[in-house]
Amino acid sequence: MTEKELRKLSRHDLLELLVEQSREAARLNAALAEREEELAGVAESNERLKDKLGEKDALIEKLKNRLDEKDAELARRAAEAEEQLDRLTSSLDERDGERAEEAARAEEALERLKNKLDEKDALIEKLKGRLDEKDAEMAQEAAGREETFRRLKDKLDEKDAQIEKMQSRLDSREEKIEALEAEAVKLRSDRWKELQGSGLPPELLARLEALM
């Protein structure tokens, strides 16, 4: 509505127009309140709008007593309010578009993350399979080493038994040798006694003693 058309309106029509604009502003304010969680970025603008609407209400009360003097000013302020509401509506539409773009980007990022998680799960399964194979190989190697150790232990036991047997035979031989040496000493002693009692010359006995 132009300023000329506003001037043609009666005081009652102007008041109704102002009241209607006030109601419209209140309705938009309520709509903005419902969107506060989604449109956090315009919270500050919303607060400014509430302040301006409060100022507008106070101005309307004053204009009730000064309406004849303030017709032009009221028209100008009404036009400014309408322009501001248009800007706010456009801003809300832009915010809705930005929210939609952000949601699309978030969905895309979530899909990429899901793909990476699937790849990680596949890698974990692959590594788990390789680990199971390694465990089986290690178990097989451990069994082989245990069998080798058992065979070596059996051979060592056999060697110990052979050594013990040979040591026993050696001890028996040493005992026999000691017995033979003792018997030889006894025989030499008995023989010497016999020679001494045989009446042989002393020189011959000395030579025999050296030989014995």
Side-chain angles (χ1 to χ4, degrees):
M1 183 177 292
T2 63
E3 183 177 349
K4 185 177 181 180
E5 290 174 343
L6 287 173
R7 288 180 179 277
K8 291 180 179 180
L9 296 176
S10 64
R11 182 183 302 175
H12 182 268
D13 292 336
L14 288 173
L15 285 174
E16 288 184 352
L17 178 61
L18 290 173
V19 171
E20 182 64 24
Q21 288 180 347
S22 177
R23 290 175 180 174
E24 180 66 15
R27 186 183 64 80
L28 290 174
N29 185 40
L32 285 173
E34 293 176 356
R35 287 183 149 188
E36 278 184 353
E37 292 184 359
E38 296 181 4
L39 305 174
V42 296
E44 184 176 356
S45 298
N46 190 24
E47 290 297 325
R48 289 199 302 268
L49 178 61
K50 288 181 179 180
D51 293 338
K52 287 184 178 295
L53 290 175
E55 294 174 1
K56 187 73 68 179
D57 291 336
L59 182 61
I60 289 173
E61 292 296 327
K62 293 179 181 179
L63 287 175
K64 289 179 181 179
N65 299 323
R66 301 174 57 189
L67 188 58
D68 292 336
E69 299 176 0
K70 297 293 182 179
D71 286 343
E73 184 178 357
L74 283 174
R76 181 177 60 80
R77 287 184 178 274
E80 290 177 355
E82 186 175 356
E83 182 181 357
Q84 186 175 8
L85 290 175
D86 290 339
R87 288 197 302 269
L88 181 58
T89 302
S90 298
S91 178
L92 291 177
D93 293 338
E94 292 176 0
R95 290 291 182 181
D96 289 339
E98 292 176 359
R99 291 290 182 182
E101 292 177 0
E102 290 177 359
R105 287 195 296 269
E107 185 69 21
E108 183 179 356
L110 182 63
E111 186 66 22
R112 288 197 301 269
L113 180 60
K114 183 177 180 297
N115 292 335
K116 288 184 178 180
L117 289 176
D118 292 339
E119 292 175 359
K120 292 293 185 182
D121 290 338
L123 180 59
I124 289 173
E125 289 297 326
K126 183 177 180 180
L127 292 175
K128 183 180 178 182
R130 293 180 62 184
L131 183 60
D132 292 339
E133 292 176 359
K134 288 294 183 182
D135 289 340
E137 291 177 0
M138 291 178 65
Q140 186 175 2
E141 291 177 0
R145 286 194 296 268
E146 185 176 354
E147 179 64 20
T148 302
F149 177 75
R150 186 185 63 77
R151 289 197 299 267
L152 291 174
K153 185 176 182 299
D154 292 341
K155 289 183 179 180
L156 184 61
D157 293 339
E158 292 177 1
K159 292 293 183 181
D160 290 340
Q162 292 177 359
I163 292 172
E164 185 176 354
K165 185 177 179 180
M166 293 177 65
Q167 184 66 40
S168 177
R169 292 173 62 183
L170 181 62
D171 292 341
S172 178
R173 287 182 180 181
E174 288 180 351
E175 290 177 358
K176 289 180 180 181
I177 290 171
E178 289 177 358
L180 291 173
E181 288 178 350
E183 185 177 355
V185 170
K186 184 175 181 300
L187 289 173
R188 283 197 299 271
S189 177
D190 293 341
R191 184 62 178 167
W192 176 249
K193 289 180 180 179
E194 290 178 359
L195 291 173
Q196 285 179 338
S198 63
L200 293 175
E203 294 179 359
L204 184 57
L205 289 175
R207 292 179 179 178
L208 292 173
E209 184 179 8
L211 292 174
M212 295 177 66

